[in-house]
Amino acid sequence: MVQPTDTPRRPEILAPAGDWECVRAAVENGADAVYFGLERFNARMRAKNFTQADLPALMEFLHKRGVRGYVTFNTLVFPGEIDEARDYARTIIAAGADAAIVQDVGACKLIREISPDFPIHASTQMTVTSAAGVTLARELGASLVVLARENTLADIEAIQAAQRASGHAPLSIEVFVHGALCVAYSGQCLTSEALGGRSANRGECAQACRLPYELICDDRKVDLGDRRYLLSPRDLAGIDVLPELVRLGVASLKIEGRLKSPEYVASITRVYRAALDKLMKNEKCIMENGGGDSQSGTASRSKYELEMTFSRGLGTGWFRGIDNQNLVHARFGTKRGVFLGEVARVQNESVTLRLVAPLKPGDGVVFDAGTPEIREEGGRVYQVDARPGGETTLRFGHGDINFGRVRSGQLLWKTNDPALDRELRATYDGDKIRHTRSVDAEVHGRAGAPLTLILNDRAGHVVREDSAVALAPAQTQPLTEARLRDQLGRLGGTPYNLGKLASRLEGDVMLPMSELNRLRRAAAEKLTALRAAPKRWTIRSGSSGTGDSPVLHNATNHGRAARATQPDAPEIIPVLRNLSQLEAALTVPDIATVYCEFENPKHYREAVARVRNLGKPDFEIWVAPPRITKPGEEWILAQTRSANADGYIVRNADHLRYFADDRKRGDFSLNVANQITAEYFLAHHGLERVTASYDLNIAQLEALLLASNNDACALMPASYDITIHQRMPMFHMEHCVFCSFLSDGRDYHDCGRPCEKHRVRLRDRTGAEFPLKADAGCRNTVFNNRAQTGAEYVARLLALGARHFRVEFVDETPGEVVQTLARYRQLLRGEIDGAALWRELKLLNQLGVTRGQMEAAPRIIRRKS
């Protein structure tokens, strides 16, 4: 049960803005804040976006309207971009933005280096799923955390309870309430990087989750009918859970959609604005049944508008718990809109059906034949004729529809409503102010003295204006509170409406109406000017590097001490995913360390026992808990530690805390893309090494090693594990494909655990088959079908001081494990070169190999001129 907070506060409505039109759409429809990207470090690089030069004018506009503006700084920062990122942060702070939404740990450190008080919002790209993640964000200087979309209401309740018990002032919590759902955990999706060198962590997501896939189970295709979009979730619509979110003390309700149209922004913003305002007034129609005036005209209209504006099918996502049958319907991965009904007959260039939603001439429709990957028939309705028996016949423009491709039984969807589009555009088009915010007024005065008017916008801005004419004793029409409210409430053309009015006038007095009007206008103008002034955040002068930070200073000492103990000999570290692979790896000479990432942590005890039985005291086995940890999953960590391994591969904030007193090394999921991030984890959390981000290509890896090879740095090149062979883990998902399509269950309670019984792959349109694995938390990972190798670059990395090279396996046979490890041992010993190994690996691997992200086209690194 959701527990109410002591004093629920009104959360903000946070709307997306890809351009100026979207900003106006958000503001005029009641957004309390907007978030937008600039031309750099922005996770939606396909949006139009603003520029740094636009920022002062944009912030002035927003602040005049009483709206906050948050800049997205939510990508990883590469080693050669540190100076640029520092300048970028300084620009955002100096322009008076209200906050930066940040993914990269190093970027957080840069911001705090520049300003001690500028607000940092920890992006959903940080993959915060638990109280430990919130604590980590606090350590990095954040004042607000955007939780992962996968967190349920129960998770949020647990996180808030942990915050209250921590003794610290709680950080504000933000959640996505509407829009597209990424099937993979944000910040953990490497699909676009693996398939095309377009990193989602750099704003270049290619949306491979919206494509069709076939399910291959034990080498046979599973007949799923018309369900082919196995990784494409419904869109999120959290309007029904607003009461729970408010009671849980969520501070910000975020709408997804920086790539969407201004009509979308206007529509979704106004629907949630109206719903939240009704909720905060405690209206029964909203509070009953979790938000459900579901039978009322208002709710029906809202549902229609939400579906019409953009919908792949709407649902509450993960808020109400895991329901794999409902999350992904799998029939399509593109916009549909409002369902109209099933085609009953096709004749004489018309279709007849029983409509279940309104339709009128001019509306756009599409015929759903269950094959959305093929061009679908659709167009604008020309005529709508009601027929006896409740059926309706639709006619279209001549030649608009190929009726040879339309069949009875096909589903019909309304994809466009021109009248709604016109209505939405009218809410923001032009310069007219439509949405106003309340200001409180207070008047003071007595006969013979000026009238003093004070306006307060409830956001910290207060102005005073005195009349140029003294008050006089009233003979007939004194300034009663009613007269004052009438005159002072005439705020048309301003962004204000009159809220509370307090009259402190002494006796019956009067003032010419012309002077009272002038006073009102002057005070409103003064208030607007005050609000428009940029916020003044503290900016330290001369902040330019790691030496300014106490944390990084300590890291430097750590690094210098570490240099003396780092081994000189390079090593291959196999990453193994089952016991048979481990047995094979133990037979390979010169292997002294193995990392294990098993689907079931219960098997770690046996793995550790087998290593101990080798009788090699210097041989180490490290084990990895599942990549994601949510509230209530501490038992998995306890099970992992019970194996008594030599060390632990930590992958998230919970692991950092749980294994704080153990030996630990950081995995790729920590997204270490620059030296500042690496220093933070090594110094602040005591990691022995960190794994370099899989987003780095060879040039960026070299830059990372070079940046770590000096006495002023906490690091050395050997501080990194570098993965030189792997099947890239592409999607990492709360969505369980096994449960959804190989069972009728909702989650692990009733799915029958098909993941333990079957070997499953996903086959894409090209015929490529991608292995699918489930972990102890029932989260699925889709791995690339081809191995990728950095063999050709190993010599360069060795020359720069790299010493620890990971070779990862997924479902390779023991023989393949032995053969692959043997070849990489030869590479490190200089017995074969990288080019030769590349050619051999192409022959060894049935599906071939790729050079992967290391060979990705060099990403543009803009430096200061």
Side-chain angles (χ1 to χ4, degrees), residues 571-616:
E571 65 171 339
I572 293 293
I573 305 173
V575 180
L576 310 162
R577 291 193 163 85
N578 57 55
L579 286 167
S580 63
Q581 289 180 351
L582 174 62
E583 292 282 10
L586 295 181
T587 68
V588 179
D590 299 335
I591 298 295
T593 304
V594 293
Y595 294 167
C596 293
E597 185 194 346
F598 292 176
E599 295 177 35
N600 190 340
K602 287 192 297 186
H603 296 153
Y604 284 152
R605 290 186 182 182
E606 184 177 354
V608 171
R610 295 191 186 190
V611 170
R612 299 282 188 264
N613 289 336
L614 290 175
K616 297 180 180 179

Side-chain angles (χ1 to χ4, degrees), residues 119 129 245 280 293 362 374 449 489 562 592 617-618 650 661 676 680 707 718 781 862:
T129 58
L245 294 174
M280 299 310 291
D293 53 341
I374 303 173
D618 294 331
V650 298
D661 297 327
I676 300 177
Y680 172 77
T781 303
R862 301 177 185 174

